[in-house]
């Protein structure tokens, strides 16, 4: 089964160059599980898709142009809509961001902060590519 | 929510947004007792009750009941309130334990006592910020803390330091969806001050200003329901700016006039604009005139203005605009930070360079990763220029264009097949009914004479369209910035007044321009006689039959700012009419800014209708032939986008909610209304 969590104890040691491209300040701090979500080629280029992990919905974004991946909660905090994965990705002064398709609130994919309104900060998750699969780092 | 102060109310709104039944319990007889008066509190409480927050003032809580699990609050008046969750925001309690154990004087209510030099009773120890009590007062805001820090640092450096003599506690409530502001001396406690108040119960607006006894200066005031003047009033107090002869005009004022923009000009250079970061008007102007700042972002980076609470952003914007204007800057219209070109310039670039994809354009003339502004704008340009399948570059489209359906509340989509001219056979009507019933869709007749089916899950869209296409339907492009519908009346086919066959003409035009992408949606209509039953004069282009032919109207609009279409050509024959519409639409597509309807486009056009006539009818620019050729190519390139998707397994496979699971989104929920379904309320979803 593709979507079962992988609990590979060695995965932290196997960081390749590629993984570090995301440049999160504390890349894998507190990650307990690397969830193997889907194959790289299943995701659209320069766009996002929604991944299911148990009852959790996670939006995963493929920044093909920058060769970077980001993930955040799929729920838009503005009107509680499960839609962020269907939004448009982009950058604001170089910062990767996602725009909700409903009312175009935008959120930083590095910090989860809302960039153009006063919505609350959303959850972001680290992403790693390994063996052609997209893995999402979960703390729980 | 225990505590109806500034933070309590902001938190209450957050609780409400989480979908919780929210009550605010306040000990004082009014809300925000430190900032607003009784009338203001009543207006605010009414507004909050409209939002769904219940307010209890004058309630002294005696007990938080429950054992291990919260059950309720009990009050001294023997009433109680059942609750399951309690948030307390009932004042500041400085952490003064360390100070106390060192033998520093602390206030009975907590906090380290300081003098006007911010010294504690030990002369080598200072206290600032929320830990300090000055004159029996703890300042719970950032700005006074900064001021205190400044004073202490100057003393340590041995430089001349001011004394701390209290601080302006002007505040504006940000989150709650209701404007509340209080500035200067809100309660008119200054000797001899005269209050002037204005209340509009209907709209929930209350404004009070206190002016000095000689009527010369503004001392302070309270704004509820409309705090748009907060910044300028606050500045008038802080800078002792003279009042107008009739101070009451300040709060009754003529609506619609942009007072803020005019206001910043009259401020002195020393006026503090950003109180969080202590940035003055002079600082901002210096950045613009001396250091080349040309955007609010530049100013943010260089001065940190707007980076605290953000309340000063409108004023910073105005100062930027007026200063740039005074420098004679022409502000260049650019799409966004990723493209330094206008839409019209990009149109030419794409065409001349033969660019076919967004990425290629970004690589050649843009920078960064793009955004939600330039992606759909460029997508629309590419579609208008090449009319290729938009599904091929799906991730640069707005969600409606990406999934070829209209996203609706709750995250499901609506489906609109084309019904050209509003004419439909009984068999096709039944087919729509059958398909809608099969998929449990809500149906409604649209304003454009067609039928909208709501509530389709993303994964159902290809199947629904497969069935619709089998029944002979095509995409209605209701999701796109494209031609929507041509509305028609029955005209001479049935109507006893009709002078031309308006239905046939409407269907002809709708088929001609279907799928045409434009800067915004386009609508048209054809009426069979002067009685105008199809309301053609409210459309982007409208045709009204005459005894001799057709009258063509252009640039009308319904929507937010209705505008009648203007008569463009009279008594033209069918062929001429179509030719003029071809040229008109193509000229609009090439030159309008993104998301500009034809009415606004014309309103902004230099030379107006006469110029448009010159270009489109008299060919003053010599471009009419190429406009016609370009339109012909677009028409020849038409395809039903849904047919392409249904026939292409790879495109079809994108219609899934989860990439790693075939299940649909389990959080979608509906309720019943008049025998049909509608999505559950925003916020009330069980996630
Ligand atoms: C939810 C909320 C919203 C707010 N919104 C606004 C707003 O919009 N605008 C505004 O102007 N103000 C706002 N405020 C108030 C503002 O945040 C405070 O007035 C300001 O932060 C006070 O600054 P401070 O440095 O005095 O104290 P703090 O920011 O509380 O910093 C004190 C620091 O000292 C540390 N500390 C405590 N004891 C010790 C010790 N013994 N040894 C070493 N370190 C110690 C603490 O851990 C803390 O880091 C808000 C406050 C809250 C709670
Ligand atoms: S516009 Fe004229 S032709 Fe059309 S329905 Fe009305 S009266 Fe009849
Ligand atoms: S008028 Fe407003 S609520 Fe009605 S359909 Fe248009 S956008 Fe939606
Ligand atoms: S629901 Fe996301 S912006 Fe409104």
């Amino acid at each position: 089964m593709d979507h079962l969590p992988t609990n590979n104890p060695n995965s932290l040691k196997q960081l390749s160059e590629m993984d570090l491209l995301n440049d999160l300040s504390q890349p894998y701090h507190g990650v307990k599980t690397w969830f193997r979500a889907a194959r790289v080629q299943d995701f659209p280029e320069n766009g996002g898709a929604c991944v299911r992990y148990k009852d959790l919905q996670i939006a995963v974004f493929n920044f093909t142009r920058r060769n970077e991946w980001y993930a955040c909660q799929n729920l838009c905090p503005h009107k509680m809509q499960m839609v962020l994965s269907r939004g448009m990705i982009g950058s604001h002064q170089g910062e990767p961001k996602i725009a909700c398709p409903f009312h175009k609130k935008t959120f930083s994919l590095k910090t989860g902060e809302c960039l153009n309104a006063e919505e609350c900060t959303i959850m972001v998750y680290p992403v790693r590519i390994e063996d052609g699969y997209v893995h999402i780092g979960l703390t729980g | 929510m225990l505590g109806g102060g500034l933070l309590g109310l902001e938190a209450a709104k957050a609780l409400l947004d989480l979908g919780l039944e929210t009550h605010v319990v306040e000990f004082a007889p009014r809300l925000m007792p430190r900032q607003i008066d009784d009338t203001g509190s009543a207006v605010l409480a009414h507004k909050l009750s409209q939002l769904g927050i219940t307010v209890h003032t004058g309630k002294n809580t005696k007990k938080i009941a429950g054992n291990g699990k919260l059950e309720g609050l009990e009050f001294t008046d023997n009433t109680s309130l059942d609750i399951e969750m309690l948030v307390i925001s009932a004042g500041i309690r400085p952490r003064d334990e360390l100070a106390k154990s060192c033998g520093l004087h602390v206030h009975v209510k907590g906090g380290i006592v300081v003098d006007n030099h911010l010294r504690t009773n030990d002369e080598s120890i200072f206290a600032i910020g929320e830990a300090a009590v000055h004159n029996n007062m703890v300042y719970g805001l950032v700005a006074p803390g900064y001021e205190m820090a400044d004073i202490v640092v100057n003393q340590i450096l041995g430089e001349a330091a001011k004394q701390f003599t209290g601080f302006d506690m002007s505040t504006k409530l940000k989150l709650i969806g209701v404007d509340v502001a209080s500035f200067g001396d809100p309660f008119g406690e200054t000797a001899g001050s005269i209050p002037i108040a204005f209340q509009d119960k209907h709209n929930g607006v209350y404004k009070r200003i206190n002016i000095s006894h000689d009527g010369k200066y503004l001392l302070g005031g309270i704004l509820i329901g409309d705090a748009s003047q907060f910044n300028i009033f606050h500045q008038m107090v802080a800078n002792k700016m003279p009042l107008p002869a009739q101070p009451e005009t300040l709060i009754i004022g003529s609506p619609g006039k942009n007072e803020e923009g005019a206001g910043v000009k009259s401020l002195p250079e020393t006026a503090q604009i950003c109180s969080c970061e202590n940035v003055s008007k002079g600082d901002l102007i210096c950045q613009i005139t001396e250091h080349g700042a040309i955007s609010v972002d530049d100013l943010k980076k260089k001065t940190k203005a707007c980076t605290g609470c953000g309340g000063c952003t409108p004023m910073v914007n105005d100062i930027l605009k007026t200063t740039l204007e005074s420098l004679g800057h022409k502000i260049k219209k650019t799409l966004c930070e990723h493209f330094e070109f206008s839409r019209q310039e990009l149109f030419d670039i794409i065409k001349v360079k033969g660019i076919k994809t967004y990425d290629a354009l970004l690589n050649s003339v843009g920078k960064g990763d793009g955004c939600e502004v330039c992606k759909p704008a460029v997508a629309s340009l590419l579609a208008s220029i090449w009319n290729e399948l938009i599904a091929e570059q799906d991730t640069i489209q707005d969600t409606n264009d990406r999934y070829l359906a209209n996203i609706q509340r709750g995250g499901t989509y609506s489906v609109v097949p084309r019904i050209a001219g509003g004419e439909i056979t009984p068999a096709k009507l039944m087919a729509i009914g059958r398909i809608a019933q099969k998929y449990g869709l809500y149906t409604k007749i649209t304003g454009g004479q067609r039928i909208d089916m709501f509530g389709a899950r993303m994964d159902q869209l290809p199947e629904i369209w497969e069935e619709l296409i089998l029944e002979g339907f095509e995409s209605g492009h209701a999701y796109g910035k494209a031609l929507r519908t041509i509305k028609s009346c029955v005209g001479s086919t049935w109507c006893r007044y009709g002078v031309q066959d308006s239905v046939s003409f409407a269907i002809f035009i709708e088929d001609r321009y279907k799928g045409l992408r434009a800067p915004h949606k386009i609508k048209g209509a054809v009426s069979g006689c002067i009685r105008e039953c199809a309301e053609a004069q409210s459309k982007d282009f409208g045709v009204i039959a005459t005894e001799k032919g057709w009258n063509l109207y252009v640039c009308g609009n319904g929507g937010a700012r209705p505008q009648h279409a203007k008569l463009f050509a009279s008594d033209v024959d069918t062929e001429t009419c179509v030719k003029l519409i071809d040229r008109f639409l193509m000229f609009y597509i090439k030159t309008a800014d993104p998301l500009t309807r034809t009415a606004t486009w014309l309103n902004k056009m230099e030379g107006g209708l006469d110029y448009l006539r010159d270009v489109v009818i008299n060919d003053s620019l010599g471009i009419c032939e190429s406009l016609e050729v370009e339109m012909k190519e677009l028409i020849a390139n038409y395809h039903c986008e849904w047919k392409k998707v249904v026939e292409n397994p790879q495109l079809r496979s994108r219609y899934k909610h989860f990439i790693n699971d075939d299940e649909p989104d389990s959080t979608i929920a509906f309720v019943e209304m008049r025998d049909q379904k509608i999505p559950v309320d925003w916020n009330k979803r069980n996630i």
Side-chain angles (χ1 to χ4, degrees):
Chain A
M1 294 265 290
D2 265 353
H3 55 270
L4 281 183
T6 51
N7 276 310
N8 180 352
N10 293 323
S11 52
L12 273 178
K13 288 186 207 137
Q14 298 170 355
L15 298 184
S16 66
E17 290 262 68
M18 167 96 185
D19 298 320
L20 292 169
L21 282 174
N22 275 0
D23 180 34
L24 296 161
S25 51
Q26 290 172 298
Y28 305 131
H29 181 74
V31 170
K32 291 219 185 86
T33 312
W34 283 103
F35 170 54
R36 189 158 97 141
R39 291 175 311 175
V40 167
Q41 68 261 35
D42 294 339
F43 290 84
E45 290 196 352
N46 292 307
C50 180
V51 163
R52 174 174 177 184
Y53 172 70
K54 298 183 184 163
D55 280 337
L56 200 60
Q57 299 197 12
I58 302 173
V60 178
F61 302 100
N62 178 4
F63 280 67
T64 324
R65 287 180 66 82
R66 313 160 60 126
N67 196 13
E68 291 175 4
W69 291 76
Y70 293 94
C72 68
Q73 66 185 52
N74 195 32
L75 184 74
C76 176
H78 175 227
K79 291 285 183 185
M80 302 296 201
Q81 301 288 297
M82 276 294 187
V83 285
L84 288 181
S85 59
R86 299 182 211 166
M88 263 180 274
I89 61 169
S91 64
H92 172 69
Q93 313 277 317
E95 177 111 350
K97 66 170 182 177
I98 173 68
C100 176
F102 266 99
H103 313 97
K104 299 279 163 66
K105 310 274 178 203
T106 57
F107 301 89
S108 158
L109 287 170
K110 286 205 167 162
T111 64
E113 243 172 283
C114 183
L115 299 171
N116 62 352
E118 296 187 350
E119 301 310 324
C120 60
T121 297
I122 59 172
M123 245 336 243
V124 292
Y125 304 88
V127 180
R128 296 180 14 190
I129 308 300
E130 209 172 85
D131 305 331
Y133 275 82
V134 175
H135 295 73
I136 304 165
L138 300 161
T139 48
Chain B
M1 187 69 227
L2 194 62
L6 203 74
L7 291 181
L9 294 183
E10 292 194 0
K13 176 65 176 10
L15 294 175
L16 186 75
D17 287 345
L18 289 173
L20 304 176
E21 180 189 331
T22 307
H23 295 256
V24 172
V25 176
E26 169 59 49
F27 168 71
R30 60 171 189 262
L31 293 168
M32 297 176 64
R34 283 173 72 162
Q35 285 91 6
I36 65 176
D37 60 11
D38 289 338
T39 318
S41 166
V43 173
L44 178 59
H46 181 67
K47 279 257 171 181
L48 295 181
S49 70
Q50 284 175 339
L51 289 175
I53 297 175
T54 317
V55 175
H56 311 263
T57 48
K59 286 276 181 196
N60 192 351
T61 308
K62 137 179 114 180
K63 186 174 172 195
I64 298 172
N67 188 0
K69 179 174 165 282
L70 200 52
E71 278 165 6
L73 292 180
E74 290 170 16
F75 307 112
T76 49
D77 60 3
N78 286 327
T79 55
S80 62
L81 181 67
D82 290 344
I83 55 169
E84 287 168 311
M85 174 178 163
L86 180 66
V87 180
I88 303 177
S89 169
I92 309 160
R93 231 344 107 91
R95 298 291 301 265
D96 56 8
E97 308 92 312
L98 183 66
K100 220 187 270 174
S101 67
C102 295
L104 296 183
H105 288 170
V106 296
H107 196 268
V108 278
K109 287 189 167 171
I112 306 157
V113 179
V114 295
D115 62 14
N116 284 357
H117 301 284
L118 303 164
R119 278 209 163 86
T120 64
N121 57 310
D122 180 328
E123 76 169 301
S124 48
I125 301 180
F126 296 92
I128 60 171
E130 264 178 8
V133 179
H134 176 266
N135 207 2
N136 287 319
M137 174 102 172
V138 174
Y139 289 93
L141 286 178
V142 174
Y146 290 168
E147 166 95 359
M148 291 176 178
D150 231 39
I151 293 175
V152 170
V153 168
N154 281 331
Q155 292 182 64
I156 295 173
L157 293 175
E159 286 173 12
K162 285 194 295 186
Q163 298 204 354
F164 187 80
T165 52
F167 201 87
D168 177 19
M169 292 293 280
S170 303
T171 36
K172 192 169 162 191
L173 193 57
K174 293 174 305 221
L175 275 183
I176 200 130
V178 182
D179 276 0
V180 179
S182 125
F183 55 95
D185 168 10
F187 304 118
E189 286 159 340
T190 315
S193 81
I194 307 164
I196 303 176
F198 158 78
Q199 188 176 356
D200 170 357
K201 281 205 172 128
H202 179 64
N203 290 313
V205 173
Y206 171 66
K207 296 181 179 184
R208 166 184 176 160
I209 53 175
N210 306 307
I211 61 171
S212 60
H213 66 282
D214 55 6
K216 283 195 175 140
Y217 302 110
L218 186 60
L219 299 170
I222 296 165
L223 301 169
I224 316 273
D226 169 15
S228 53
Q229 291 156 304
F230 169 75
N231 282 327
I232 197 76
F233 283 179
H234 185 193
Q235 292 297 330
M236 290 177 77
V237 174
N239 296 295
K240 288 217 145 194
M241 289 163 62
L243 280 174
Q246 268 118 18
E248 63 276 10
T249 56
L250 282 180
I251 49 174
I252 308 170
S254 40
K257 238 177 51 193
N258 187 356
E259 282 141 357
E260 294 246 322
V264 295
K265 276 198 187 147
S266 56
L267 288 177
E269 298 255 316
T270 50
Q272 188 194 47
I273 303 297
C274 170
S275 48
C276 297
E277 296 289 341
N278 190 13
V279 182
S280 71
K281 180 180 167 190
D283 297 337
L284 292 168
I285 291 183
C286 168
Q287 286 299 334
I288 302 166
T289 53
E290 315 278 312
H291 303 285
I294 48 161
S295 67
V296 172
D297 273 338
D298 289 350
L299 291 174
K300 270 189 194 173
K301 265 195 219 134
K302 292 191 163 144
T303 65
K304 286 173 119 183
C306 312
T307 57
C309 71
C312 60
T313 315
M315 285 189 110
V316 171
N317 233 322
D318 285 340
I319 291 175
L320 178 73
K321 238 181 82 197
T322 50
T323 313
L324 283 179
E325 273 167 18
S326 73
L327 289 177
H329 263 271
K330 249 204 160 167
I331 300 154
K332 185 169 157 59
K333 240 197 283 168
T334 62
L335 209 52
C336 64
E337 63 172 86
H338 308 101
F339 290 100
E340 306 236 316
F341 298 97
S342 67
R343 180 181 181 276
Q344 193 176 347
E345 288 167 333
L346 286 176
F347 187 104
D348 295 333
I349 293 171
I350 292 171
K351 187 113 208 226
V352 171
K353 297 195 171 189
I355 290 174
K356 298 260 176 152
T357 67
Y358 174 82
D359 266 7
L361 186 69
L362 194 60
N363 288 339
S364 97
V365 298
K367 57 171 190 270
D369 303 277
C371 67
E372 70 285 357
V373 174
C374 58
K375 284 182 175 179
V378 170
S380 150
L381 283 171
L382 291 169
S384 290
I385 296 169
W386 313 117
N387 208 0
E388 287 177 355
L389 196 60
I390 61 167
E392 313 252 298
Q393 293 184 66
D394 64 326
T395 56
I396 59 166
Q397 316 285 346
D398 259 319
T399 189
N400 287 359
D401 271 323
R402 180 168 176 191
Y403 296 104
L404 305 175
N406 296 48
I407 197 165
Q408 304 290 357
R409 214 159 56 70
T412 60
Y413 291 82
S414 73
V415 172
V416 188
R418 186 166 298 290
I419 299 177
E423 185 188 76
I424 185 167
T425 62
K428 278 186 146 179
L429 211 45
M430 282 193 282
I432 288 187
R434 177 185 64 75
I435 294 167
Q437 196 155 44
K438 174 168 170 193
Y439 292 92
L441 305 176
Y442 166 101
T443 49
K444 187 175 182 305
I445 312 280
T446 72
Q449 299 188 333
R450 44 195 191 172
I451 299 168
D452 202 342
M453 295 173 260
F454 292 76
R457 290 193 320 260
M458 190 210 278
D459 57 284
Q460 295 176 318
L461 290 171
E463 288 168 47
I464 293 172
W465 271 106
E466 187 159 31
E467 296 205 28
L468 285 169
I469 288 167
L470 271 178
E471 297 284 357
F473 287 100
E474 311 184 294
S475 167
H477 296 93
Y479 43 80
K481 304 290 174 233
L483 180 89
R484 294 286 170 84
T485 63
I486 306 294
K487 189 175 172 181
S488 73
C489 75
V490 286
S492 60
T493 54
W494 289 89
C495 179
R496 63 199 157 120
Y497 297 114
V499 292
Q500 307 278 352
D501 181 355
S502 45
V503 187
S504 300
F505 195 37
I507 294 174
F508 174 77
I509 302 179
E510 185 160 340
D511 275 336
R512 183 173 182 83
Y513 302 123
K514 65 188 174 189
L516 186 67
R517 301 272 158 174
H520 210 309
K521 59 186 173 191
I522 327 172
K523 297 176 177 179
V526 184
S527 280
C529 82
I530 191 107
R531 286 168 191 75
E532 241 286 65
C533 293
E535 297 166 333
Q537 289 164 98
S538 64
K539 304 296 181 197
D540 296 284
F541 62 97
V543 179
I544 300 176
T546 66
E547 296 285 348
K548 296 181 201 146
W550 309 100
N551 281 353
L552 174 61
Y553 292 77
V554 295
C555 301
N557 200 356
R561 253 183 246 122
Q563 179 170 324
H564 273 143
K566 311 258 185 325
L567 181 61
F568 196 61
S570 317
D571 290 329
V572 289
D573 60 31
T574 304
E575 196 189 331
T576 313
C577 192
V578 172
K579 194 158 76 181
L580 291 181
I581 300 173
D582 274 3
R583 295 175 182 177
F584 163 75
L585 288 178
M586 206 60 223
F587 188 52
Y588 163 66
I589 289 170
K590 290 183 78 156
T591 60
D593 283 333
L595 303 181
T596 307
R597 292 289 298 267
T598 55
T600 321
W601 171 66
L602 179 64
N603 296 346
K604 287 190 189 160
M605 189 180 291
E606 251 175 75
L609 189 65
D610 286 337
Y611 175 75
L612 186 62
R613 262 204 204 103
D614 263 356
V615 174
V616 172
I617 301 178
N618 306 330
D619 200 8
S620 61
L621 299 180
I623 56 170
C624 283
E625 199 187 320
S626 72
L627 291 177
E628 283 171 37
V629 171
E630 283 167 320
M631 180 58 86
K632 207 171 275 162
E633 283 167 6
L634 287 185
I635 293 169
N637 236 347
Y638 168 81
H639 38 247
C640 169
E641 284 151 355
W642 265 112
K643 190 155 183 282
K644 299 265 182 193
V645 171
V646 163
E647 288 168 352
N648 180 328
Q650 193 217 332
L651 294 178
R652 246 182 119 133
S653 69
R654 290 181 191 158
Y655 288 81
K656 270 173 75 174
H657 184 72
F658 294 111
I659 196 168
N660 60 339
D661 195 319
D662 288 331
E663 286 298 301
D665 178 4
S666 62
T667 67
I668 293 176
F670 298 102
V671 290
E672 217 187 87
M673 187 190 251
R674 290 182 293 278
D675 300 328
Q676 297 206 70
K677 68 175 183 189
I678 58 164
V680 292
D681 216 351
W682 295 113
N683 302 336
K684 299 246 166 82
R685 296 173 63 192
N686 191 11
I687 293 169

